[in-house]
Structure formats: C-alpha cells, structure tokens
Amino acid sequence: MRRERLGFGFALAVLSLWCSMEVAVEAAWSLQTPVKLVWHYYKVHNTCDYAEAYIRHQVESFYKYDKTIAPKLLRLLYADCFVNGCDASVLLDGPNSEKTAPQNRGLAGFAFIDKIKTVLEARCPGVVSCADILNLATRDAVHLAGAPSYPVYTGRRDGMTSTKDSVDLPSPSISWEASLAYFRSRGLDVLDMTTLLGAHSMGRTHCSFIVDRLYNFNDTGKPDPSMKASLLEEMRKLCPPKTKKGQPDPLIFLNPASGSKYSFINSYYSRVLTNEAVLGVDQQLLYNEDTKQITEEFAAGFEDFRRSFALSMSRMGNINVLTGKEGEIRKNCRFPNKK
C-alpha cells in the first residue's frame, strides 16, 4: 500500500507497526502537518511522569468488569475529534452541549473518564488534559479488546465551549461519496475512512439508526436492496417499524460475530463483502473501487487491518488539537475552569 509522505517524525514511531500491502491506494502514512503534539509529553516536560501508566492502570481495572468501555470510548473519541477537533468538548455538560445533539444519542463512557481525571488530579493536579485522557484511555481500552497499542502523541489542551449546533456528525445511512467528503474535510483520506469504519467491528447501535434500511430505504417504502435477506429478517425481528411516539428503541450489535465479547476482529469486513453490514455507511464500502479493494484486503488479513488502524487512530487524534496557550487544562472534564 502506498502512502504519500507527509513527514518523517511520526513515521519513525510507527514504522515497526507498518508493512507492505498489495492495495495501491494513495494515502498518508504520518500525522497531518504541522505536528504540534509530543511523544510522552508529560514525561518530557517532567510534569506528570507516570500519567500514561496511571491511565492504563485505570483502564485495565475497569475492563475486567466492563468490556463495553472499548466501543464506548471509541465512539466518544470519534464524536469529539470529528466536531471541533480533539479538545474534549464532547465531555462538557450543559443544556445545549454537544452531548445533547441527536447524533450523540446513546453516547457513553463519561463516568469512566471522570474517574481517571479524579485519579490524575490527585497525583498531578492541573496538568493532564481531558483531551489527552480520552485519547490515551481509548487506545488502552481497544488494545485490551484486540487492537494494536498504537502511539498516542500528547500535549493536547481542552476546549472551553460545547454546543449541540456544532455537531455535524453525518447519518450512518449516507453514501460512500458523502462519507469520504466528510473524512477529507477533517484531513483524513480514503484509507483512514475505510479503516476507522472498522471500529464497527464491535459495539452496539440503536435501531433508530438503521430502521430506514429495514422499512423505507431512500423513501421507497421498501428495504435496502443491498441487505442480505437473512440479515434483513434478523434485524426486523429486533427492530420493529416505528409507529408511535415514545416507542422503545432497542440496541443491536453492530457485528454479531463480536457480539457481547466486544472483541476487535476483522469479520466486519467479511460481513461487508457478503452484504451483511448493519449500518448503511458500512455497506457502502462495496461501491467504490478503492474502498472495496481495501475491504477485501482487510477481510483477508487481520494484521493489515490492525496496522492501518494504528496509524489512522493516531491521525484522527491529531485533528485540530489545541496546544501551547490555547484552551485550558480542565480540573473537571465536565465543566470549564472558573475564571
């Protein structure tokens, strides 16, 4: 796989994770420039030498009892980075905060981040940002679920505002063209998109996010013709048509092969190839030459997917970060500091 060079610093850190792949797709193989983050920032600046170890310990402790933290944190990080950049604005409370946006319905993991922040404030008060905590905790959680332990550069600072009007996360039923345009608007490419959608290899979603595929695809009054008949039958049993206000909105697994194990596996891509993707945007990967080729490669080789995931997660964590004197280091991840 050919990746366009954007720099060499980060590439040195991930070189051992990367290998040659057969797919000929133009894509970046380093962090987006300029790279403003630092490898082991808190240790380099001697402000909280064991910050990453503290976070890892908390993640390991929680994961023993609740494996859902891996998909929950993945979604939380995505919801943060793709809106205002990786500034932890999604963690802020408020009647009109990002949390209240319709796209963020069911978002979870906040209490877990609060716990880590409490531990770090006791050991290194006012030093470690909520944005870095979210990025590091996500890396550690998905690693426990089977993903690679990819490099996370640190030194992010926290945003001070959060509004639901700023949330422009797209529908999970959009076309591959619209999805790619959205990813590109965040400085990511076709390989990043195909790779990061693989996060749907584990976790659950609400029926309301797929009910259009089951009963009224593109306002046709019919189901999505690309959905395998057996999957359609299964999903309709779990997700009845919405006929009245206040009707329950059940949760369903995004990848039945992972299910309640919440394990990071590549069967997601195999399901796309057999028209068994739960979300419409996932099934759309079949309808572009590049995304189909990458999907086939990842379905055939789990290590190829893992290596690409390592780099694409690091690139996502670099979107519009605040550093230096920008933003602040929140004392409580749910509220801006009092002036």
Side-chain angles (χ1 to χ4, degrees):
M1 177 175 292
R2 293 180 292 127
R3 281 186 175 266
E4 179 185 357
R5 296 193 178 194
L6 293 181
F8 61 90
F10 182 73
L12 294 177
V14 299
L15 190 58
S16 62
L17 292 172
W18 195 248
C19 72
S20 175
M21 294 168 59
E22 295 178 358
V23 181
V25 176
E26 287 291 346
W29 64 284
S30 73
L31 287 183
Q32 309 89 316
T33 54
V35 178
K36 300 193 291 182
L37 302 174
V38 177
W39 181 240
H40 295 312
Y41 176 89
Y42 300 102
K43 184 171 289 186
V44 169
H45 291 273
N46 197 32
T47 53
C48 193
D49 289 1
Y50 299 104
E52 295 187 28
Y54 295 147
I55 293 171
R56 187 176 306 112
H57 175 72
Q58 291 298 314
V59 172
E60 290 171 349
S61 297
F62 271 84
Y63 189 81
K64 290 178 183 177
Y65 303 101
D66 184 7
K67 289 181 171 52
T68 68
I69 65 169
K72 285 175 180 176
L73 290 180
L74 266 175
R75 185 185 173 198
L76 192 57
L77 183 63
Y78 161 75
D80 185 49
C81 292
F82 271 76
V83 176
N84 291 317
C86 302
D87 66 348
S89 57
V90 74
L91 303 179
L92 289 170
D93 282 347
N96 293 297
S97 68
E98 292 171 34
K99 292 179 180 180
T100 66
Q103 299 96 316
N104 284 333
R105 181 165 185 256
L107 211 56
F110 300 105
F112 175 61
I113 297 299
D114 291 341
K115 171 62 176 175
I116 298 178
K117 181 61 172 175
T118 299
V119 170
L120 286 168
E121 284 298 303
R123 289 162 171 75
C124 310
V127 171
V128 183
S129 70
C130 300
D132 276 344
I133 291 172
L134 179 55
N135 274 267
L136 289 163
T138 301
R139 185 270 310 275
D140 294 339
V142 297
H143 176 51
L144 290 172
S149 183
Y150 54 88
V152 173
Y153 277 25
T154 44
R156 298 170 187 79
R157 288 172 65 84
D158 300 322
M160 300 165 68
T161 60
S162 178
T163 63
K164 67 178 181 181
D165 291 340
S166 67
V167 178
D168 62 349
L169 300 173
S171 160
S173 297
I174 60 172
S175 66
W176 70 263
E177 294 97 335
S179 180
L180 183 55
Y182 186 74
F183 273 75
R184 283 177 171 165
S185 73
R186 269 57 177 176
L188 302 178
D189 56 39
V190 66
L191 180 55
D192 293 317
M193 180 188 78
T194 310
T195 301
L196 292 174
L197 285 177
H200 296 157
S201 66
M202 57 182 176
R204 299 190 296 175
T205 189
H206 281 280
C207 284
S208 56
F209 288 122
I210 69 161
V211 71
D212 58 331
R213 293 193 74 201
L214 304 180
Y215 301 101
N216 190 26
F217 182 68
N218 289 344
D219 294 322
T220 61
K222 299 178 181 180
D224 184 345
S226 71
M227 183 178 281
K228 191 173 181 178
S230 57
L231 177 66
L232 176 62
E233 182 181 2
E234 177 187 355
M235 291 295 104
R236 279 184 161 180
K237 290 178 181 177
L238 298 172
C239 301
K242 187 174 182 179
T243 58
K244 58 184 178 181
K245 190 174 182 180
Q247 182 174 320
D249 189 9
L251 284 165
I252 54 171
F253 288 111
L254 288 167
N255 182 5
S258 170
S260 59
K261 296 178 182 177
Y262 295 99
S263 51
F264 185 87
I265 53 180
N266 65 333
S267 61
Y268 160 86
Y269 293 100
S270 300
R271 293 180 66 86
V272 170
L273 293 174
T274 56
N275 293 297
E276 294 178 279
V278 172
L279 295 179
V281 67
D282 296 336
Q283 196 58 64
Q284 283 285 309
L285 293 177
L286 274 188
Y287 304 120
N288 168 264
E289 183 178 346
D290 286 341
T291 57
K292 182 180 179 181
Q293 199 174 7
I294 297 167
T295 297
E296 291 171 341
E297 188 77 24
F298 288 168
F302 185 39
E303 285 307 306
D304 290 340
F305 170 44
R306 293 178 83 251
R307 292 184 178 99
S308 190
F309 186 81
L311 183 52
S312 291
M313 284 295 291
S314 296
R315 283 167 49 75
M316 182 177 76
N318 191 51
I319 297 175
N320 295 334
V321 294
L322 302 176
T323 59
K325 295 183 179 180
E326 299 172 311
E328 63 182 9
I329 304 297
R330 279 183 227 143
K331 296 177 181 179
N332 183 325
C333 291
R334 292 177 180 265
F335 305 100
N337 296 336
K338 294 181 179 179
K339 299 301 181 183

